[in-house]
């Protein structure tokens, strides 16, 4: 499996707004400042399948929705500043995967 990450401009910190492998290094100059050197920063695993059961953890929303099980309705993606987010059924907007804990399936 290829390591994926974000490319940041070595001058202004501008990013490419998607996860890429190192082999996909941009060949164009930075859109913000025109600089040509890119820094690769690997990101941790982006894998979370649609339909994954999760609870919010260690955030304000976890106190607002204690023990509520949410279902992911998208795979994770990276925001411009590198945060990994996912869509949840019944929740508006992307939610940080760093504040989600996967709920193991219950077996009878």
């Amino acid at each position: 499996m290829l390591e994926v990450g974000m490319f940041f401009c070595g001058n202004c910190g501008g990013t490419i707004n998607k996860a890429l492998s190192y082999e996909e290094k941009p060949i164009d100059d930075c859109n913000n400042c025109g600089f040509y050197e890119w820094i690769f920063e690997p990101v941790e695993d982006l894998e979370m399948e649609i339909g994954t059961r999760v609870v919010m953890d260690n955030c304000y929303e976890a106190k607002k929705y204690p023990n509520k099980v949410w279902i992911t309705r998208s795979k994770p993606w990276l925001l411009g500043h590198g945060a990994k987010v996912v869509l949840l059924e019944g929740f508006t907007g992307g939610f940080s995967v760093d504040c989600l804990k996967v709920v193991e399936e219950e077996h009878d």
Side-chain angles (χ1 to χ4, degrees):
M1 182 172 166
L2 286 176
E3 182 175 44
V4 296
M6 295 285 291
F7 282 96
F8 295 88
C9 172
N11 183 49
C12 74
T15 63
I16 305 294
N17 289 329
K18 61 182 177 179
L20 300 169
S21 70
Y22 185 78
E23 289 78 20
E24 298 173 296
K25 182 177 181 175
I27 57 172
D28 297 328
D29 295 342
C30 175
N31 289 336
N32 296 330
C33 70
F35 200 64
Y36 56 89
E37 290 189 26
W38 295 95
I39 298 169
F40 181 74
E41 184 68 35
V43 293
E44 292 179 20
D45 186 17
L46 286 174
E47 297 301 316
M48 184 181 284
E49 295 299 318
I50 295 171
T52 301
R53 296 166 35 110
V54 295
V55 293
M56 295 174 175
D57 185 47
N58 201 24
C59 61
Y60 167 79
E61 290 84 356
K63 294 176 185 170
K64 188 173 178 181
Y65 305 105
N67 301 316
K68 177 173 175 35
V69 176
W70 300 86
I71 307 296
T72 60
R73 60 185 177 105
S74 74
K75 289 187 174 188
W77 76 92
L78 294 172
L79 297 178
H81 61 286
K84 294 177 286 185
V85 297
V86 67
L87 295 175
L88 301 173
E89 290 181 6
F91 192 86
T92 303
F95 196 83
S96 173
V97 298
D98 292 337
C99 294
L100 293 175
K101 186 167 41 172
V102 174
V103 175
E104 298 300 324
E105 295 291 327
E106 295 178 10
H107 298 284
D108 293 330

